[in-house]
Amino acid sequence: MEKSLTQLGNLIYEQINNQEFPWIHMQSRSTDNILYDTNLRQYVLGPRMIRRHSRNIRHIRPFTQLIWTAWFAKELVTQKKTSTLRETYYSARGQRDIEYTDQQESDNIITDLEVALNRAREDFNIFPAERSAIFGDLTIEYTVPGYEGRRTNLTDHPDGIMIGPAITSSEFIETSADKVLVIEKGAMFNRLVEEKAHEKFNALLIQTAGQSPRSTRAIINRLYTDYNLPIYIFTDADPWGLHIAMVIISGSANAAHLRGLATPDAKWIGVLGSDILNYKLPTEPLTEYDHKRLFELKADPRYKDQFWQDELDILLKIEQKAELEAFSKYGLTYIVDEYLPAKLES
Amino acid sequence: MPQVEYQSISPADFFYRNREIAGFSNPSRATYTAVRELIENSMDACEVQQVPAEIFLRISEVPDNRNTETKIYVMRVEDNGTGLPAEHIPQAFGQVFYGSKYELKQARGTFGLGGTMAVLYGQITTHKPVQITSSTGGDIHEFVMNIDIQNNRANILKHTVKQNPSGWRGTAIELQMDGDYSRIMYRLIEYLKQTAMVNPYADITYIGPKGRLYKFERGTEKLPPLPVGVKPHPHGVDVEAFRRLISVTKSKNMKTFMMDNFQGVGNKTAERFLELAQISLKARPKMLSPEDILRIVRSTKEYGNFKRPDASCLSPIGEELMETGIKKELGLTDEDYIKVVTRKPSTYLGYPFIVEAAVATGKNVRKMHGSGITTYRFANRIPLLFDESSGVVWKAANKNINWKTYNVESDTSVVVAVHVCSTKIPYKSVGKEFMADQPEVEKEITNAIREAARGVRGFMSRRFRLAREKRRLNIFNKFLPKIAEFSGRLAEKDTPNIEPLLRVVSTDIHEVEKKLEEVPEIVEES
Ligand SMILES: Nc1ncnc2c1ncn2[C@@H]1O[C@H](COP(=O)(O)OP(=O)(O)OP(=O)(O)O)[C@@H](O)[C@H]1O
Ligand SMILES: [Mg+2]
């Protein structure tokens, strides 16, 4: 990592020394260059390249920000420190002229750097603010400074362990689990821990806290690829829940330049539209916004399989949506005792 | 039957009774007008003398215990002009309608009234005499006098003659008046500033009642050419004027009479004109009947082939001097746009006149003026400060000109200054405060402004583009060093040198400037 950052510095340095306005080549991230790759079953960047050129009056500011961010990343890497997107944004605050107007702008430059280096930001130690967590019988060994070689079992903490830089960079030593259960919400995750779902289903539990961060997706992918653990995703029955599952399965357009984040074989097991009817779940009507979103998803290439199209259609047809919590209607343990076993069986 | 009494009053008595006509309507306005009349007399005297004017004005308050809004002020004006011959001093300041400016040539003074009115107003409000000190280079004469209003003549209280070893030339007048300074202070100072604008060869020093010093320094020693007296133009003559000429003429016949007494009338013109008027070339002037005279005067209006009135009696400020004056008083620099246009002489009703117009815009103009069109008006180098929106200049600048064609937006700050000089300024009222919209004058003013504004469009787009280029260059100056710094650190090397790159972008700006020089100017059809 350090080497590619230094290389980038050298490139710019040489250009300036040759009395050339520095510029770099990178893949375009504009929407028309984001394509859905049916083989990889995820979004990828197309062949179009763009030039970020400091001779261009509109490019020079983002170009400068990019070089600054590269320097900042190198500092992190060489000093073995980690930082968050938010911290990175704030670190630029002190730098006159480089300063970002908002975090969006900063995040965007970091993504540019990923594209330029062809590496994920986690590789240069910039992580999102974490809210997602993992729980279950998995022994890991830390590699972060000060903890090198230390081991821990992820059942040690009943609240689950936050998926941050330490977990992301750790070695996975062993696990007795034979599946991974991904849940969209913290409350349901806690319920499952309390009800010992990890033992009952012999599963690792992961909660994504809404749309899952990239590091969480990376771990899911790792558990699937390295340990062959099947992944089951469990979300609300509404367009937002569906899409949380879909991003884990097929990735996002924002990360089209990265590999190893999508897990195409992960399974969304519920709450399905048909579950609403079969289990007679308490529902809420779709809002106008839900409606609009459902139609957007129907047009999305990731949803082109019949299975997904049918699921979207059911919601549109019954005009209702349901949350995970809806199962509480049948008692607090119903979901662990009845629903999940049934789902995992099929 | 009620008794009707008849009496006659002197001119001084008339203006005593009707002083508002001459601008002495109330204490504050009277303060302003008095200063104005005295300063204008001084400016005239300096121009006749052809010296760069050196004017000193002091207004000081006379302490008293009155608890009124008005105060007694001592007003003193000194100049380095011609000075007055001792024998003329009493009448010049003690008699209404006595003066040296009745000749047909441009001057600020016209009526033989202004200075005397200031003295008269001081006298009736304070009962104090005026003191006049003057020299034409020889002895210094000092008069202490007042006006015998009923008889329209000076009443000399004291006449002292002093030696003049230093050869001083000029005039100093000191009078007292009951006035109101605080209400008129702003206008008065504005008046002095604008006087300095159109008389850039004048040094004006003013010490106000609170002891504050205002200095308007000259920007040049050059004076505009001295106007010369001319014979009247036949077109402007009326029956009375004609009759007077006849009464003093020595010409034996009408042909020579016409040629001797009017400007621009030669052999041919005299013959053709008299033919039109049905007057024999040989007719003896003194023998003309009243009907003949009336016919001649009417014919002057019909005869279309007189030469244009002679403009040598006029003294325009000139493009160079006017630009100097405006730039110095408005604090303009080379970054601002200013263009002054002196038009060719023109005429209305037989009077020659010349219009000069200046148009200025730019960031220093904005500092003092804010958005929109600000007009400055001058007549025979006198600033006109009152009743702006009734005047012809305001109309021309605001109604006749389509500023959009000059890239002037409503938030652009533009100054339009117009100077009209003439042997007869078309004042709308006797107050000498604004000019009527005589069609010929209005048209000339409009054309002058258009001509002066021609470059504004180019200036605007040039300024706009230059500003953009500067911003651009700034951006490179801002970011290239950062790129160099952080790429150096990233590469674990020193900071690479960006000077060559900065040179590349800054040569671009010169090219842009070159291109901007070529921005075509627009011509608005008039
Ligand atoms: N400062 C002065 N220096 C020399 N002569 C002066 C001065 N002040 C006044 N005079 C003479 O006195 C005359 C009368 O002045 P006054 O101001 O009354 O009339 P005016 O200037 O001729 O006309 P107007 O009424 O338009 O001002 C002038 O014509 C001039 O000859
Ligand atoms: Mg006068």
Side-chain angles (χ1 to χ4, degrees):
Chain A
M1 190 67 240
E2 205 180 320
K3 232 178 86 199
S4 35
L5 287 164
T6 313
Q7 265 170 10
L8 177 65
N10 272 325
L11 173 76
I12 308 297
Y13 185 95
E14 286 310 319
Q15 287 170 330
I16 298 178
N17 259 0
N18 293 335
Q19 311 200 355
E20 230 184 286
F21 277 84
W23 56 275
I24 56 167
H25 233 144
M26 56 195 247
Q27 277 173 294
S28 164
R29 288 201 293 121
S30 69
T31 42
D32 55 355
N33 200 42
I34 297 178
L35 315 169
Y36 187 72
D37 185 318
T38 38
N39 285 331
L40 288 174
R41 291 189 286 168
Q42 78 156 84
Y43 275 119
V44 295
L45 290 184
R48 209 150 58 78
M49 301 293 280
I50 56 155
R51 243 178 223 221
R52 269 281 151 75
H53 209 304
S54 63
R55 184 72 182 78
N56 182 318
I57 201 85
R58 278 191 309 276
H59 284 184
I60 187 162
R61 183 176 132 96
F63 187 90
T64 313
Q65 289 169 327
L66 184 75
I67 304 303
W68 178 84
T69 308
W71 167 79
F72 180 78
K74 188 166 170 187
E75 292 283 297
L76 291 177
V77 173
T78 51
Q79 294 175 25
K80 295 197 175 7
K81 290 238 164 66
T82 63
S83 187
T84 59
L85 290 171
R86 190 136 192 89
E87 255 181 8
T88 311
Y89 160 63
Y90 276 114
S91 303
R93 270 292 171 89
Q95 294 290 330
R96 255 188 50 221
D97 305 332
I98 288 176
E99 263 187 345
Y100 298 105
T101 41
D102 52 27
Q103 188 177 342
Q104 176 86 50
E105 193 183 10
S106 165
D107 292 357
N108 209 16
I109 295 291
I110 293 170
T111 311
D112 274 352
L113 187 61
E114 292 183 316
V115 176
L117 299 172
N118 203 11
R119 301 289 285 267
R121 61 171 179 253
E122 287 79 5
D123 292 347
F124 44 81
N125 295 4
I126 297 175
F127 294 84
E130 294 301 342
R131 289 152 303 147
S132 65
I134 182 167
F135 182 87
D137 179 29
L138 173 65
T139 305
I140 60 154
E141 185 175 308
Y142 288 112
T143 63
V144 288
Y147 289 81
E148 295 99 334
R150 237 207 256 186
R151 290 188 178 191
T152 195
N153 187 279
L154 297 187
T155 48
D156 289 352
H157 248 291
D159 284 342
I161 287 185
M162 195 182 82
I163 302 178
I167 297 284
T168 309
S169 61
S170 66
E171 303 281 347
F172 294 172
I173 304 301
E174 59 177 347
T175 180
S176 63
D178 59 12
K179 62 179 81 63
V180 179
L181 212 48
V182 180
I183 306 105
E184 132 178 33
K185 282 179 191 165
M188 184 54 64
F189 174 80
N190 291 339
R191 161 111 283 121
L192 297 188
V193 174
E194 249 170 58
E195 302 301 330
K196 300 203 181 332
H198 56 292
E199 288 175 3
K200 200 161 183 175
F201 303 120
N202 203 17
L204 294 175
L205 306 177
I206 289 177
Q207 70 108 335
T208 61
Q211 196 50 268
S212 47
R214 275 162 40 172
S215 49
T216 310
R217 274 141 62 197
I219 283 196
I220 293 170
N221 181 274
R222 223 165 119 194
L223 291 168
Y224 174 75
T225 358
D226 297 356
Y227 293 85
N228 281 319
L229 301 185
I231 313 290
Y232 299 103
I233 309 166
F234 188 38
T235 69
D236 289 346
D238 64 18
W240 319 98
L242 255 73
H243 203 58
I244 288 168
M246 181 55 81
V247 168
I248 294 169
I249 296 167
S250 295
S252 66
N254 278 338
H257 56 293
L258 297 171
R259 301 289 169 271
L261 292 180
T263 311
D265 290 326
K267 292 258 163 344
W268 179 56
I269 54 167
V271 179
L272 305 183
S274 50
D275 294 340
I276 297 180
L277 302 173
N278 296 340
Y279 290 85
K280 298 198 171 54
L281 293 177
T283 59
E284 279 178 29
L286 294 180
T287 64
E288 207 176 304
Y289 197 31
D290 293 331
H291 236 266
K292 202 174 140 248
R293 187 70 184 143
L294 283 169
F295 278 108
E296 273 170 23
L297 297 184
K298 267 184 79 72
D300 189 312
R302 289 169 287 186
Y303 287 84
K304 73 168 186 350
D305 283 0
Q306 202 50 49
F307 167 76
W308 290 103
Q309 289 291 323
D310 290 347
E311 281 304 318
L312 294 168
D313 286 339
I314 292 175
L315 291 182
L316 281 169
K317 189 168 153 244
I318 63 175
E319 290 276 353
Q320 303 287 327
K321 59 181 179 182
E323 292 189 287
L324 290 170
E325 289 87 341
F327 288 102
S328 314
K329 176 185 170 191
Y330 302 111
L332 290 177
T333 60
Y334 181 85
I335 197 161
V336 180
D337 296 345
E338 303 288 336
Y339 179 72
L340 279 178
K343 280 287 166 184
L344 290 172
E345 214 131 288
S346 58
Chain B
M1 261 189 70
Q3 190 80 43
V4 179
E5 273 186 53
Y6 295 90
Q7 70 180 110
S8 103
I9 62 166
S10 77
D13 207 353
F14 174 81
F15 281 103
Y16 161 61
R17 294 168 194 227
N18 300 293
R19 48 190 172 271
E20 69 284 350
I21 294 179
F24 291 83
S25 45
N26 57 53
S28 62
R29 191 68 185 267
T31 310
Y32 174 82
T33 308
V35 168
R36 201 192 124 159
E37 293 294 351
L38 296 178
I39 299 267
E40 279 157 23
N41 283 349
S42 289
M43 296 292 306
D44 276 342
C46 294
E47 268 158 40
V48 171
Q49 184 64 19
Q50 284 287 287
V51 291
E54 197 103 39
I55 310 250
F56 173 81
L57 163 69
R58 192 183 61 211
I59 300 178
S60 37
E61 204 179 300
V62 179
D64 63 15
N65 297 326
R66 295 187 310 159
N67 201 4
T68 51
E69 279 194 20
T70 63
K71 294 262 171 346
I72 306 286
Y73 295 100
V74 179
M75 222 171 251
R76 184 180 176 86
V77 177
E78 291 175 23
D79 64 57
N80 59 335
T82 52
L84 290 98
E87 62 271 26
H88 291 297
I89 292 176
Q91 282 116 309
F93 293 99
Q95 183 177 335
V96 168
F97 300 149
Y98 186 93
S100 58
K101 303 171 195 169
Y102 296 122
E103 207 186 349
L104 260 188
K105 68 175 177 187
Q106 176 189 329
R108 293 172 184 77
T110 42
F111 304 127
L113 176 69
T116 315
M117 272 310 287
V119 173
L120 188 147
Y121 190 84
Q123 174 177 331
I124 62 173
T125 55
T126 67
H127 208 258
K128 289 278 177 357
V130 58
Q131 183 191 337
I132 298 142
T133 313
S134 188
S135 171
T136 54
D139 289 340
I140 297 171
H141 292 264
E142 189 180 292
F143 286 84
V144 177
M145 53 174 255
N146 52 31
I147 305 173
D148 176 350
I149 296 173
Q150 273 173 329
N151 295 308
N152 189 27
R153 61 165 202 238
N155 180 21
I156 300 164
L157 304 176
K158 198 169 148 205
H159 179 195
T160 337
V161 184
K162 289 181 196 157
Q163 286 191 331
N164 186 10
S166 65
W168 173 68
R169 183 161 196 162
T171 307
I173 298 177
E174 188 168 311
L175 57 82
Q176 292 199 18
M177 67 183 287
D178 189 38
D180 182 348
Y181 178 74
S182 58
R183 287 211 183 152
I184 203 72
M185 175 174 119
Y186 167 76
R187 297 268 186 150
L188 206 133
I189 291 164
E190 185 65 23
Y191 170 80
L192 294 176
K193 178 180 135 187
Q194 293 193 23
T195 299
M197 245 164 104
V198 283
N199 302 277
Y201 39 86
D203 239 351
I204 304 174
T205 307
Y206 166 48
I207 299 175
K210 299 270 179 287
R212 220 180 128 178
L213 172 76
Y214 300 83
K215 252 189 118 45
F216 302 88
E217 276 167 35
R218 68 168 63 92
T220 173
E221 301 254 323
K222 268 193 230 163
L223 273 79
L226 196 65
V228 295
V230 293
K231 296 179 214 165
H233 190 273
H235 195 95
V237 79
D238 61 22
V239 172
E240 172 60 17
F242 197 83
R243 216 184 45 72
R244 283 192 202 177
L245 290 171
I246 284 175
S247 70
V248 297
T249 188
K250 300 210 166 61
S251 307
K252 295 275 183 293
N253 62 55
M254 275 311 287
K255 185 175 162 190
T256 50
F257 173 82
M258 288 304 293
M259 289 162 63
D260 289 349
N261 285 284
F262 293 99
Q263 57 169 270
V265 180
N267 253 319
K268 281 265 155 54
T269 310
E271 283 168 19
R272 287 199 198 122
F273 170 73
L274 288 171
E275 193 188 324
L276 175 80
Q278 296 167 9
I279 301 285
S280 153
L281 299 179
K282 303 223 170 63
R284 295 192 35 208
K286 301 219 193 259
M287 303 299 283
L288 291 179
S289 71
E291 289 75 31
D292 289 338
I293 293 177
L294 189 62
R295 209 164 55 245
I296 292 172
V297 170
R298 285 197 179 140
S299 302
T300 59
K301 319 288 184 239
E302 283 158 28
Y303 185 78
N305 290 319
F306 290 124
K307 280 213 188 108
R308 289 163 146 252
D310 182 355
S312 56
C313 54
L314 299 183
S315 166
I317 306 163
E319 295 174 356
E320 187 191 328
L321 287 187
M322 192 152 158
E323 182 174 326
T324 308
I326 292 175
K327 269 181 141 171
K328 116 183 136 79
E329 289 308 321
L330 299 187
L332 308 190
T333 68
D334 289 344
E335 285 178 277
D336 300 288
Y337 172 87
I338 178 165
K339 171 74 184 160
V340 181
V341 167
T342 299
R343 299 275 299 176
K344 289 213 175 62
S346 187
T347 63
Y348 79 97
L349 305 176
Y351 303 106
F353 71 97
I354 290 176
V355 170
E356 300 177 276
V359 170
T361 185
K363 70 171 201 269
N364 295 305
V365 172
R366 163 161 300 277
K367 271 188 210 152
M368 274 211 213
H369 297 91
S371 301
I373 315 285
T374 308
T375 56
Y376 288 94
R377 301 165 293 149
F378 305 94
N380 285 353
R381 277 179 242 152
I382 302 174
L384 307 182
L385 261 58
F386 292 89
D387 305 313
E388 181 189 21
S389 54
S390 342
V392 61
V393 173
W394 190 88
K395 184 175 171 212
N398 289 284
K399 295 260 169 327
N400 300 359
I401 307 276
N402 178 8
W403 287 103
K404 284 250 156 59
T405 31
Y406 301 92
N407 268 8
V408 169
E409 301 295 333
S410 60
D411 63 344
T412 317
S413 186
V414 176
V415 156
V416 173
V418 172
H419 177 226
V420 178
C421 59
S422 176
T423 47
K424 187 170 163 60
I425 298 289
Y427 287 116
K428 214 167 191 171
S429 72
V430 270
K432 273 193 192 174
E433 278 303 350
F434 58 98
M435 291 178 274
D437 35 9
Q438 276 289 340
E440 296 90 342
V441 179
E442 180 180 332
K443 188 166 161 235
E444 271 300 291
I445 291 176
T446 307
N447 285 341
I449 298 175
R450 281 197 183 132
E451 207 181 319
R454 242 174 236 173
V456 169
R457 189 188 170 84
F459 174 82
M460 288 299 185
S461 49
R462 187 185 141 83
R463 198 173 60 149
F464 181 73
R465 282 151 73 173
L466 261 183
R468 205 175 53 197
E469 279 313 298
K470 281 217 180 100
R471 258 201 317 276
R472 206 175 64 100
L473 194 59
N474 266 343
I475 288 179
F476 287 111
N477 278 326
K478 208 153 90 173
F479 289 111
L480 281 176
K482 303 269 178 188
I483 296 177
E485 176 189 344
F486 288 107
S487 65
R489 290 208 209 170
L490 202 53
E492 290 164 30
K493 294 185 176 146
D494 54 350
T495 305
N497 180 16
I498 48 161
E499 283 309 315
L501 297 184
L502 286 177
R503 268 201 300 281
V504 171
V505 274
S506 62
T507 45
D508 279 7
I509 196 168
H510 295 307
E511 267 162 35
V512 169
E513 266 192 84
K514 229 188 289 160
K515 268 186 235 143
L516 289 177
E517 300 287 348
E518 296 154 15
V519 173
E521 294 188 347
I522 56 127
V523 181
E524 196 184 331
E525 288 306 314
S526 52

